[in-house]
């Protein structure tokens, strides 16, 4: 049965074997180039305790988008903003659009909310505990808190995990983290790079503390982080923003051979 006959019958039309080989060769070559040009610790990183597969970071995702001649556009798909309860959640879609052909080439989703442990909790020393946990009268309540030992310049010290009472200052951080996750998702799909990079664990920071312990014997959650390094304006529900790379003065950017394929 020919390709034309398969298409008329509603069957999946597959390229010939030579086209398959060319497409896969192009993908493999692009993956090799990307991996060789990425800077470890900046564009990607291997998070201790999560295996050997590198995690794609935001700078690396932005380089992939630029290399493929794409522009990133963002849209808030869902949002929850409960100022009374202090709960915030954003689901953002990133669309990567071909600058040359003005077509959506790849999309990715990213979600972030204030119930994630890195935002919900914060770690403090005994001197930073609320009055409820201070002194001899607060020892009973203090012992119920999750605890960990950390290294300081003066030796080991104990920290306690308490609820973050300043969650409202992280609203913009939550939104931008969702945006970043969507970008990484879309970039991995656009570059067919999911077999050499992963995502989602890019937000886990390597702890400088000793292994965390608690009175209940449970492992402590990672320390909270403000992620202030997440730069760039946040997307809005009313409109989306396009980051268009500067024009190449040397001529129009050539698209990689696999840009027109539909391989997963």
């Amino acid at each position: 049965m020919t390709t034309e006959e398969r298409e008329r019958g509603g069957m999946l039309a597959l390229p010939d074997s030579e086209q398959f080989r060319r497409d896969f060769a192009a993908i493999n070559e692009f993956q090799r180039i990307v991996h060789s040009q990425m800077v470890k610790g900046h564009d990607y990183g291997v998070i201790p305790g999560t295996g050997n597969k590198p995690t794609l970071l935001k700078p690396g995702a932005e380089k992939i988008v630029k290399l493929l001649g794409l522009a990133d556009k963002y849209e808030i798909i869902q949002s929850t903003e409960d100022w009374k309860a202090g709960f915030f959640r954003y689901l953002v879609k990133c669309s990567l659009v071909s600058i040359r052909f003005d077509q959506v080439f790849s999309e990715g989703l990213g979600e972030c909310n204030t119930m994630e442990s890195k935002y919900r909790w914060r770690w403090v020393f005994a001197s930073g505990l609320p009055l409820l946990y201070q002194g001899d009268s607060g020892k009973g309540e203090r012992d119920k808190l999750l605890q960990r030992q950390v290294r300081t310049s003066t030796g080991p010290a104990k920290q306690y995990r308490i609820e973050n009472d300043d969650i409202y200052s992280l609203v913009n951080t939550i939104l931008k983290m969702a945006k970043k996750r969507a970008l990484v998702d879309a970039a991995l799909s656009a570059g067919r790079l999911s077999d050499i990079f992963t995502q989602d664990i890019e937000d886990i920071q390597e702890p400088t503390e000793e292994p965390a312990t608690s009175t209940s014997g449970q492992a402590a959650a990672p320390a909270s982080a403000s992620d202030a390094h997440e730069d760039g304006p946040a997307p809005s529900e009313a409109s989306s923003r396009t980051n268009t790379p500067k024009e190449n003065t040397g001529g129009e950017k050539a698209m990689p051979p696999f840009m027109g394929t539909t391989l997963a």
Side-chain angles (χ1 to χ4, degrees), residues 65 69-75 93-100 102-104 179 183 233-236 239-246:
V65 171
L70 304 174
D72 49 325
K73 301 175 64 176
Y74 300 89
E75 177 186 359
K93 179 174 73 174
C94 173
S95 299
L96 298 181
V97 182
S98 170
I99 299 174
R100 180 179 180 184
D102 194 27
Q103 294 179 343
V104 175
K179 171 188 169 185
L183 170 64
S236 66
S239 62
S240 61
R241 179 180 67 84
T242 302
N243 289 338
T244 304
K246 296 180 180 179

Side-chain angles (χ1 to χ4, degrees), residues 19-261:
Q19 184 62 47
F20 262 127
R21 293 189 183 93
R22 287 193 294 269
D23 288 341
F24 275 109
I27 292 173
N28 291 334
E29 178 64 11
F30 181 73
Q31 291 177 345
R32 185 191 66 79
I33 294 174
V34 167
H35 195 274
S36 66
Q37 296 302 312
M38 291 288 185
V39 179
K40 185 176 181 180
H42 179 71
D43 298 320
Y44 72 94
V46 178
I47 310 300
T50 61
N52 297 323
K53 197 171 186 179
T55 295
L56 183 64
L57 305 177
K58 183 182 178 184
E62 291 173 335
K63 288 181 180 178
I64 292 169
V65 171
K66 174 70 174 179
L67 180 62
L68 293 177
L70 304 174
D72 49 325
K73 301 175 64 176
Y74 300 89
E75 177 186 359
I76 296 178
I77 303 300
Q78 295 177 4
S79 67
T80 301
E81 296 179 334
D82 191 333
W83 292 89
K84 184 176 181 180
F87 176 73
F88 303 89
R89 173 185 179 268
Y90 299 100
L91 177 64
V92 175
K93 179 174 73 174
C94 173
S95 299
L96 298 181
V97 182
S98 170
I99 299 174
R100 180 179 180 184
F101 300 105
D102 194 27
Q103 294 179 343
V104 175
F105 181 71
S106 174
E107 291 182 334
L109 294 175
E111 187 265 354
C112 190
N113 68 83
T114 50
M115 289 299 287
E116 294 183 22
S117 60
K118 64 185 298 182
Y119 303 116
R120 181 180 180 183
W121 310 102
R122 63 190 183 95
W123 290 94
V124 298
F125 294 102
S127 59
L129 287 170
L131 291 178
L132 171 66
Y133 306 102
Q134 294 281 1
D136 294 337
S137 61
K139 185 179 186 304
E141 293 298 319
R142 187 167 65 248
D143 289 343
K144 296 178 183 178
L145 297 175
L146 202 63
Q147 304 170 22
R148 69 180 183 184
Q149 292 290 329
V150 299
R151 295 190 297 270
T152 68
S153 59
T154 57
K158 183 181 293 186
Q159 284 188 327
Y160 300 86
R161 193 183 76 166
I162 62 174
E163 197 93 23
N164 188 353
D165 57 359
D166 192 25
I167 199 68
Y168 300 99
S169 66
L170 296 177
V171 175
N172 190 52
T173 297
I174 298 295
L175 179 55
K176 288 193 289 186
M177 181 59 73
K179 171 188 169 185
K180 185 192 76 169
R181 291 171 178 174
L183 170 64
V184 172
D185 185 24
L188 285 174
S189 178
R192 314 303 198 253
L193 298 170
S194 59
D195 59 339
I196 60 175
F197 292 119
T198 185
Q199 66 172 128
D200 293 337
I201 59 174
E202 80 278 13
D203 308 320
I204 301 177
Q205 297 181 348
E206 181 180 0
T208 57
E209 309 85 16
E210 296 174 354
T213 58
S214 70
T215 54
S216 62
Q218 296 177 336
S224 61
S226 63
D227 291 323
H229 63 282
E230 293 304 321
D231 51 7
S236 66
E237 295 185 22
S239 62
S240 61
R241 179 180 67 84
T242 302
N243 289 338
T244 304
K246 296 180 180 179
E247 294 183 3
N248 186 349
T249 56
E252 193 173 42
K253 180 185 292 293
M255 306 294 279
F258 65 85
M259 288 290 283
T261 69

